[in-house]
Structure formats: structure tokens, C-alpha cells
């Protein structure tokens, strides 16, 4: 177990952090949801007008800066990029569409499971199916274009953006949009959220924690190292929910969730498949951005754009269920992801 210790510690800290953040104000079962946080940031920047999901989440700022600090200290800050930028943007866009139809990123899927939300079982099943499809194409020589070394300036730009976002949040909040009700209005204290983000960002950088990578490696390589992280998140939240009296087993009445099993599954098929092609889940993309990977930064921009588009055009689900537009968007995303998979597999033969 010694070689798995860092990823297990990371998973435990994420699970505890999620419980703490909910205890101090974040929405239920949403203590650490990358898709939800990026959606709220898109709203704070007025990229969409959904008044209930607008807030500049300090957790994301902390994740990127925490990863940057550790990478720089360990001499692992190595800016690289230039690999199929628009394809990565598009895949990131549809990862977010799939996540918002499910109502959560892969990390929140494990948080929801740990808190007793059985709807997340359908999400997990779809997620695994998506990853299996992605593995099929990896075995058919799928690969996006080669990345190249870039200047330090290129890698530092996303860090500067994160610092600017934080300055706006604490010093010039009037330029941002803030929810007065709904999930966006529910938030932990700014500096607590930032500190937790910094710690998790540093740990995730060291451990290479990735929800997609864990399942991918377990299936493809019979390597369960990264999977320990996701399983530890699940167990930590399960135990913590029991201790805090927050465990609620069932389908109905779960916070920010719907009970449509089919579209919970299909949304996560899309998110899992596209994430395999991208080389990591949304959390991993933020950590790689902190390490100077401009391809991951482009993916994060795609995630934010997907969130803005989803809420401007009614694609995101609600506790009442998925919308017709959201269903269509998932189908379109699956078709486009299939096209990218086939094209790059044939190209690299």
C-alpha cells in the first residue's frame, strides 16, 4: 500500500474537504464539483444569465494555483501545448454538456454515491461505458497531435487569470455577478474555500489523482493505483455522511439531482468517453493547467464555454429532469466524439 499512499491521502482529503465545504455553506453533495464550480464561474463572469448559478468559486482558483506552486517547487512546471487545440476545446465543451445533463462532474458522482444518492449509480454505469469506448479507440491507435515545449510565459498566463479572478472576488466584487438564491448563493467562506483548493491542488499535483485515469488504467492496464483515489473519496464521504447524519439513501429528494436514469447514464457516457480522449477528467485538466499545460487550459476554457452555452440555451438539467434540448445536445456530443475518435484512430494507423 505504500506506493498508493499519496493518492489515497489525496482522495481522503478531497472527501473531507467536500464534507467541510458543505458544512460551511456549499450546496449539498456539491462540496467539490469541478463542473458545478466552472458553471458558477461562467455565471460570475456574466457568460450566462442563469441567476441561481453565479459565483466566482475560490476552490477552482486554489486548485490551479496550488498545483502551480507544487509543480514549480518540484521543477515540474514545464509549459507544453499545441496539440489539436480546437478539438480539445470541443471535447471539453461536450464533457461539460454531459456533466450538466447528469448534474455533476465525475468527482461529484462519487460524492453523490457516498452520500446515498442512488441516481449516481446510473451515472457511474454510463461513465464506465464511456471510458470503455474510449479505451477501444486508444487500442486502435487514437492519439491527438503531438504537444511541444512552450515558453514559461505561455504556462503562466492561466495562473495570472486565476489571481485576477481572486482579486476581483475580494476587492472588486461589483464587476462580477452573484446569485441571490439557488446553488450559486450557497458558499463556504472565501478564504476557507481558497485554502482547501490550494491544499487539494497541491496534493492532486503530486498524486496525479484522476477519476477517469483510475478506471481507464484498471480496465486497460490492470493497474489500480489511481482508482484508489476515487474509492477513497467514496468511502470517506460515506463514513463522514453517517457521522454527520447527512446520509440519505434513495433516489428521490437528493440535492441538485434528478431521477431520470437513462439520461444520467448517457450524460456520463459522453463525459467519460470525451475525457479519455482528452487524457483526464475535469479535475485533472485543472491540475495540468497549473503545471503549465496550455492544451489543458484550452480544455478548461471549453468546459467553461460548455457551461455558458448549456445555461444560455436550456441544455442543463434541473431537479425536475433533463430538458429536450439537453438530450439533443448529448446525442450531438456523442456523434462528434465518435467522429473525433474514428478520425484520429485512422489518422494514426
Amino acid at each position: 500500500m505504500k506506493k498508493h499512499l499519496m493518492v489515497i491521502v489525496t482522495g481522503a482529503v478531497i472527501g473531507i474537504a467536500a464534507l467541510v465545504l458543505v458544512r460551511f455553506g456549499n450546496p449539498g453533495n456539491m462540496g467539490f464539483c469541478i463542473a458545478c464550480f466552472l458553471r458558477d464561474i461562467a455565471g460570475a463572469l456574466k457568460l450566462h444569465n442563469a441567476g441561481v448559478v453565479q459565483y466566482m468559486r475560490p476552490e477552482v482558483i486554489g486548485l490551479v494555483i496550488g498545483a502551480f506552486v507544487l509543480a514549480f517547487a518540484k521543477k515540474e512546471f514545464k509549459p507544453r501545448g499545441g496539440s489539436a487545440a480546437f478539438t480539445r476545446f470541443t471535447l471539453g465543451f461536450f464533457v461539460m454538456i454531459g456533466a450538466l445533463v447528469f448534474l455533476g462532474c465525475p468527482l461529484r458522482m462519487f460524492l453523490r454515491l457516498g452520500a446515498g444518492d442512488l441516481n449516481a449509480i446510473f451515472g457511474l454505469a454510463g461513465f464506465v461505458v464511456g471510458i470503455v469506448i474510449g479505451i477501444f479507440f486508444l487500442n486502435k491507435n487514437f492519439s491527438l497531435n503531438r504537444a511541444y515545449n512552450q515558453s514559461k510565459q505561455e504556462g503562466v498566463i492561466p495562473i495570472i487569470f486565476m489571481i485576477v479572478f481572486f482579486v476581483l472576488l475580494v476587492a472588486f466584487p461589483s464587476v462580477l455577478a452573484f446569485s441571490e438564491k439557488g446553488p450559486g448563493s450557497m458558499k463556504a467562506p472565501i478564504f476557507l474555500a481558497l485554502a482547501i483548493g490550494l491544499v487539494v491542488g497541491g496534493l492532486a499535483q503530486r498524486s496525479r489523482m484522476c477519476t477517469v485515469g483510475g478506471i481507464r488504467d484498471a480496465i486497460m492496464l490492470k493497474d489500480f493505483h489511481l482508482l484508489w483515489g476515487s474509492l477513497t473519496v467514496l468511502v470517506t464521504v460515506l463514513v463522514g455522511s453517517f457521522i454527520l447524519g447527512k446520509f440519505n439513501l434513495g433516489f428521490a429528494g437528493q440535492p441538485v439531482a434528478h431521477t431520470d436514469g437513462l439520461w444520467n447514464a448517457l450524460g456520463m457516457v459522453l463525459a467519460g468517453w470525451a475525457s479519455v480522449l482528452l487524457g483526464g477528467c475535469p479535475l485533472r485538466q485543472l491540475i495540468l493547467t497549473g503545471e503549465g499545460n496550455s492544451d489543458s487550459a484550452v480544455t478548461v476554457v471549453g468546459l467553461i464555454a460548455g457551461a455558458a452555452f448549456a445555461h444560455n440555451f436550456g441544455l442543463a438539467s434541473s431537479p425536475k429532469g433533463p430538458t429536450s434540448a439537453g438530450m439533443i445536445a448529448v446525442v450531438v456530443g456523442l456523434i462528434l466524439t465518435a467522429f473525433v475518435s474514428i478520425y484520429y484512430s485512422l489518422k494514426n494507423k
Side-chain angles (χ1 to χ4, degrees), residues 294-306:
S294 63
D295 290 335
S296 290
V298 169
T299 301
V300 171
V301 174
L303 290 165
I304 293 172

PDB file of all heavy atoms in Angstrom, residues 294-306:
ATOM      1  N   SER A 294      -0.822  24.133 -21.715  1.00  0.00           N
ATOM      2  CA  SER A 294      -1.785  25.037 -22.357  1.00  0.00           C
ATOM      3  C   SER A 294      -2.899  24.267 -23.060  1.00  0.00           C
ATOM      4  O   SER A 294      -3.995  24.804 -23.259  1.00  0.00           O
ATOM      5  CB  SER A 294      -1.075  25.972 -23.344  1.00  0.00           C
ATOM      6  OG  SER A 294      -0.483  25.246 -24.407  1.00  0.00           O
ATOM      7  N   ASP A 295      -2.652  23.006 -23.435  1.00  0.00           N
ATOM      8  CA  ASP A 295      -3.723  22.194 -24.012  1.00  0.00           C
ATOM      9  C   ASP A 295      -4.831  21.965 -22.981  1.00  0.00           C
ATOM     10  O   ASP A 295      -6.021  22.019 -23.300  1.00  0.00           O
ATOM     11  CB  ASP A 295      -3.176  20.840 -24.490  1.00  0.00           C
ATOM     12  CG  ASP A 295      -2.283  20.962 -25.708  1.00  0.00           C
ATOM     13  OD1 ASP A 295      -2.445  21.946 -26.453  1.00  0.00           O
ATOM     14  OD2 ASP A 295      -1.432  20.089 -25.905  1.00  0.00           O
ATOM     15  N   SER A 296      -4.437  21.717 -21.731  1.00  0.00           N
ATOM     16  CA  SER A 296      -5.428  21.559 -20.675  1.00  0.00           C
ATOM     17  C   SER A 296      -6.129  22.881 -20.382  1.00  0.00           C
ATOM     18  O   SER A 296      -7.324  22.908 -20.076  1.00  0.00           O
ATOM     19  CB  SER A 296      -4.767  21.014 -19.407  1.00  0.00           C
ATOM     20  OG  SER A 296      -4.380  19.671 -19.593  1.00  0.00           O
ATOM     21  N   ALA A 297      -5.396  23.989 -20.479  1.00  0.00           N
ATOM     22  CA  ALA A 297      -6.013  25.299 -20.284  1.00  0.00           C
ATOM     23  C   ALA A 297      -7.089  25.546 -21.342  1.00  0.00           C
ATOM     24  O   ALA A 297      -8.175  26.062 -21.040  1.00  0.00           O
ATOM     25  CB  ALA A 297      -4.955  26.398 -20.341  1.00  0.00           C
ATOM     26  N   VAL A 298      -6.801  25.156 -22.580  1.00  0.00           N
ATOM     27  CA  VAL A 298      -7.797  25.272 -23.645  1.00  0.00           C
ATOM     28  C   VAL A 298      -9.009  24.397 -23.336  1.00  0.00           C
ATOM     29  O   VAL A 298     -10.158  24.790 -23.559  1.00  0.00           O
ATOM     30  CB  VAL A 298      -7.183  24.890 -25.012  1.00  0.00           C
ATOM     31  CG1 VAL A 298      -8.262  24.737 -26.080  1.00  0.00           C
ATOM     32  CG2 VAL A 298      -6.169  25.935 -25.444  1.00  0.00           C
ATOM     33  N   THR A 299      -8.753  23.193 -22.813  1.00  0.00           N
ATOM     34  CA  THR A 299      -9.851  22.299 -22.424  1.00  0.00           C
ATOM     35  C   THR A 299     -10.714  22.938 -21.346  1.00  0.00           C
ATOM     36  O   THR A 299     -11.950  22.856 -21.391  1.00  0.00           O
ATOM     37  CB  THR A 299      -9.297  20.956 -21.922  1.00  0.00           C
ATOM     38  OG1 THR A 299      -8.515  20.345 -22.964  1.00  0.00           O
ATOM     39  CG2 THR A 299     -10.422  20.008 -21.530  1.00  0.00           C
ATOM     40  N   VAL A 300     -10.089  23.582 -20.368  1.00  0.00           N
ATOM     41  CA  VAL A 300     -10.837  24.252 -19.299  1.00  0.00           C
ATOM     42  C   VAL A 300     -11.689  25.379 -19.870  1.00  0.00           C
ATOM     43  O   VAL A 300     -12.846  25.568 -19.467  1.00  0.00           O
ATOM     44  CB  VAL A 300      -9.881  24.780 -18.211  1.00  0.00           C
ATOM     45  CG1 VAL A 300     -10.634  25.655 -17.211  1.00  0.00           C
ATOM     46  CG2 VAL A 300      -9.201  23.624 -17.496  1.00  0.00           C
ATOM     47  N   VAL A 301     -11.132  26.119 -20.823  1.00  0.00           N
ATOM     48  CA  VAL A 301     -11.924  27.164 -21.489  1.00  0.00           C
ATOM     49  C   VAL A 301     -13.121  26.530 -22.200  1.00  0.00           C
ATOM     50  O   VAL A 301     -14.234  27.066 -22.180  1.00  0.00           O
ATOM     51  CB  VAL A 301     -11.058  27.964 -22.481  1.00  0.00           C
ATOM     52  CG1 VAL A 301     -11.923  28.942 -23.287  1.00  0.00           C
ATOM     53  CG2 VAL A 301      -9.968  28.737 -21.739  1.00  0.00           C
ATOM     54  N   GLY A 302     -12.909  25.358 -22.812  1.00  0.00           N
ATOM     55  CA  GLY A 302     -14.013  24.635 -23.444  1.00  0.00           C
ATOM     56  C   GLY A 302     -15.069  24.224 -22.431  1.00  0.00           C
ATOM     57  O   GLY A 302     -16.274  24.306 -22.701  1.00  0.00           O
ATOM     58  N   LEU A 303     -14.628  23.783 -21.248  1.00  0.00           N
ATOM     59  CA  LEU A 303     -15.569  23.426 -20.183  1.00  0.00           C
ATOM     60  C   LEU A 303     -16.413  24.635 -19.775  1.00  0.00           C
ATOM     61  O   LEU A 303     -17.633  24.539 -19.612  1.00  0.00           O
ATOM     62  CB  LEU A 303     -14.807  22.893 -18.970  1.00  0.00           C
ATOM     63  CG  LEU A 303     -14.146  21.517 -19.109  1.00  0.00           C
ATOM     64  CD1 LEU A 303     -13.130  21.295 -17.985  1.00  0.00           C
ATOM     65  CD2 LEU A 303     -15.186  20.399 -19.094  1.00  0.00           C
ATOM     66  N   ILE A 304     -15.757  25.786 -19.611  1.00  0.00           N
ATOM     67  CA  ILE A 304     -16.481  26.998 -19.219  1.00  0.00           C
ATOM     68  C   ILE A 304     -17.445  27.425 -20.318  1.00  0.00           C
ATOM     69  O   ILE A 304     -18.598  27.797 -20.047  1.00  0.00           O
ATOM     70  CB  ILE A 304     -15.479  28.126 -18.899  1.00  0.00           C
ATOM     71  CG1 ILE A 304     -14.676  27.768 -17.640  1.00  0.00           C
ATOM     72  CG2 ILE A 304     -16.195  29.462 -18.720  1.00  0.00           C
ATOM     73  CD1 ILE A 304     -13.534  28.723 -17.340  1.00  0.00           C
ATOM     74  N   ALA A 305     -16.985  27.342 -21.570  1.00  0.00           N
ATOM     75  CA  ALA A 305     -17.862  27.688 -22.692  1.00  0.00           C
ATOM     76  C   ALA A 305     -19.066  26.744 -22.747  1.00  0.00           C
ATOM     77  O   ALA A 305     -20.197  27.173 -23.018  1.00  0.00           O
ATOM     78  CB  ALA A 305     -17.091  27.631 -24.007  1.00  0.00           C
ATOM     79  N   GLY A 306     -18.837  25.461 -22.492  1.00  0.00           N
ATOM     80  CA  GLY A 306     -19.936  24.499 -22.472  1.00  0.00           C
ATOM     81  C   GLY A 306     -20.950  24.823 -21.400  1.00  0.00           C
ATOM     82  O   GLY A 306     -22.165  24.710 -21.615  1.00  0.00           O
TER      83      GLY A 306
END
